[in-house]
Amino acid sequence: ACGLNVPNLLVVACKCRRRGTSRRHVGAPAALLWRMGCFYGPCYGPCASLCPADPSSCEVHLISSASPESSSWSMRFEDFLTDDFAYDYLLRFATAEHSSENVLLLRQADEFFVSGQASDELKHSLMTVGLPGKTRRRLSDWVSSDGDGVAFPVGAPPADVVSEAFRLCYKVVRHDVFPRFVQSEHHREMGALHLSHMLRNAGFRAAFLPTLAPRERELAEFWHAASAWREQHTSLASGWASEQTIEEAKAVWARHAAAARALDAAADAARMLDARLFEGPSDLFCEMQVIALNQLRAPYEHFLATPPGAAMLKASGFKRMPMPPSPPPAAAPLDRRPSDLCVRPSGAADDYDYAAGW
C-alpha cells in the first residue's frame, strides 16, 4: 500500500495502519525504499502441494518447476530488487546483454540514499550509464571540482544527479531489460530454484536444514512457519484478522523473534512487526521473510554446489546455467573533460581519441 510505481526524490511518510506510528524517509527514491516484496506471486499456486519426506520425490517438483507456468515466481519488478537471489539472476541476464550498469546502479543508488555514503561502484556506474546532457554536465563539474583525475572523487555526488540517474535506469530496466528477462531461461531457472519454492518441499528441507548453522536453521524454520500461517490466515467480514489467526501469529513470532532480532538488517522490520502484531494482517511477516531468505542465500548457494545438492539437481534432470565471470572492481576514473566526460589518459592532449578501439 505504501509502494510507488514511479520513483521520485521525495519525503515518504507511511502510516501502514499502525495507529499513529509512521516511517519516514527523506530524499530517497520511493520505489526502492518502500518495496516490501511479499513473494506471493503466481509461483505459489503450483508450489502449494508439498512433496513427502522422501528426498527422492523432489525430482518431480524440480522438473515441473522448470515449466513457464510454474516458475513465474513473481512478476513484480520490485520483488527482484529486494530479493538477493532473484536480483542476482536479473544481473546475470543484464550482464549477458551488456546492460549490467543499469541494474547495478539501482541498488547502489538505494544504498546511497539510505546511508548517505557513495561507494566507488556507484561513482563508476554514474560515469558509465547514459545521462542527458544537463545531468552529465553536473556530474562532470562534480568530478572536476572534487577529483584529481587519478582516483574517484572523495565526496558524494550531487543527490539530484543520483536521483536522475536512478530514474532513467529504473525506466530502462523496468520497461526494457525486465520484460525480456521474464521470458528468459534465467528467469525460469530462478523460479525453479528460489528458496521460496524449495523450502516448501519437505524432502528439500530434510536435506538442506541439517547443513545450516543453528541460527540459519531457525530462520528457515521461521520462513516456513510464517508461510504456513499466511496460507491459513482467516479474516472476518470487517476485514480484520480473526482472533485465532492473531493468536497463531503471536505464537509464530514468540518462537522465532530472538533469531530475527539478532540480524542487523532486521531491526526496523522487527519494530514494525511488533507494532502490527495485534492486527495480524496477512502480510505481517512479509518483510521479515524477505530478510530471512537473503540471509539464507549464501548457505543455499553453497549447498547447491555440494555433492548432495548437485546430486539432487542431476536426479531431477535440472542443469544450472553457467555463472558469468565476476565483474572487475570499479576502476579509478581517468582524467575527464568537464564538457562531456570523455575518457582520456591523465595528461593527454585534448584531441585524444577516446573512442579508439570501440
Side-chain angles (χ1 to χ4, degrees):
C2 301
L4 302 182
N5 291 329
V6 180
N8 295 296
L9 190 67
L10 40 71
V11 175
V12 185
C14 302
K15 292 294 181 181
C16 292
R17 294 178 59 198
R18 295 191 329 179
R19 300 186 184 277
T21 57
S22 63
R23 185 175 181 178
R24 183 180 176 89
H25 303 285
V26 180
L32 278 180
L33 278 181
W34 201 266
R35 56 175 190 277
M36 302 307 152
C38 292
F39 308 108
Y40 299 117
C43 74
Y44 271 37
C47 298
S49 59
L50 306 182
C51 70
D54 179 12
S56 63
S57 59
C58 296
E59 342 178 333
V60 178
H61 292 268
L62 277 177
I63 293 174
S64 63
S65 298
S67 64
E69 293 79 12
S70 62
S71 63
S72 52
W73 182 70
S74 171
M75 301 301 289
R76 291 185 61 238
F77 175 55
E78 286 73 16
D79 289 349
F80 287 82
L81 299 181
T82 308
D83 179 85
D84 289 348
F85 189 81
Y87 172 83
D88 180 65
Y89 271 88
L90 176 61
L91 180 59
R92 289 166 58 181
F93 174 80
T95 300
E97 294 205 334
H98 307 287
S99 58
S100 59
E101 68 278 0
N102 295 294
V103 177
L104 288 169
L105 188 135
L106 293 180
R107 276 205 166 182
Q108 293 162 356
D110 182 36
E111 295 169 358
F112 168 73
F113 281 110
V114 170
S115 66
Q117 303 294 322
S119 64
D120 286 347
E121 288 75 15
L122 171 62
K123 299 171 185 177
H124 180 265
S125 295
L126 287 172
M127 296 172 186
T128 56
V129 298
L131 297 174
K134 183 178 180 180
T135 305
R136 184 167 292 277
R137 285 192 294 271
R138 288 268 293 140
L139 180 63
S140 176
D141 293 341
W142 168 70
V143 172
S144 300
S145 62
D146 201 18
D148 56 7
V150 177
F152 283 109
V154 177
D160 62 312
V161 171
V162 180
S163 182
E164 177 68 8
F166 169 85
R167 185 184 68 83
L168 293 173
C169 290
Y170 184 95
K171 291 176 63 176
V172 169
V173 178
R174 176 66 182 87
H175 300 293
D176 180 29
V177 178
F178 185 69
R180 286 180 285 106
F181 167 69
V182 296
Q183 301 297 326
S184 70
E185 290 296 327
H186 287 81
H187 184 268
R188 282 187 282 274
E189 178 177 308
M190 185 279 302
L193 293 181
H194 197 276
L195 265 177
S196 63
H197 172 192
M198 300 299 290
L199 283 175
R200 291 170 169 267
N201 187 306
F204 170 78
R205 294 198 306 274
F208 177 57
L209 295 188
T211 67
L212 299 176
R215 186 60 56 86
E216 295 169 341
R217 188 179 307 118
E218 189 166 354
L219 290 176
E221 292 170 351
F222 160 71
W223 187 95
H224 187 261
S227 295
W229 172 83
R230 185 183 185 278
E231 291 174 353
Q232 302 298 323
H233 187 279
T234 303
S235 298
L236 304 176
S238 62
W240 293 90
S242 66
E243 193 67 30
Q244 179 181 354
T245 296
I246 295 175
E247 292 303 317
E248 291 173 351
K250 292 179 179 178
V252 171
W253 187 232
R255 290 197 305 270
H256 303 287
R261 294 182 196 279
L263 304 175
D264 294 336
D268 290 341
R271 284 193 292 268
M272 182 179 294
L273 200 156
D274 287 335
R276 304 176 69 205
L277 188 59
F278 74 99
E279 296 176 345
S282 60
D283 64 345
L284 175 65
F285 297 112
C286 178
E287 184 180 2
M288 194 63 71
Q289 285 183 279
V290 176
I291 295 172
L293 290 180
N294 288 343
Q295 293 291 322
L296 292 171
R297 182 205 167 188
Y300 176 52
E301 291 279 10
H302 176 73
F303 170 78
L304 291 179
T306 61
M312 182 184 67
L313 296 179
K314 183 178 180 180
S316 303
F318 193 92
K319 184 177 181 181
R320 296 194 73 181
M321 301 176 65
M323 291 286 292
S326 301
L334 303 175
D335 192 14
R336 297 175 183 270
R337 296 174 181 173
S339 59
D340 57 5
L341 278 181
C342 295
V343 181
R344 60 191 172 96
S346 179
D350 286 343
D351 60 349
Y352 173 74
D353 182 8
Y354 69 93
W358 285 12

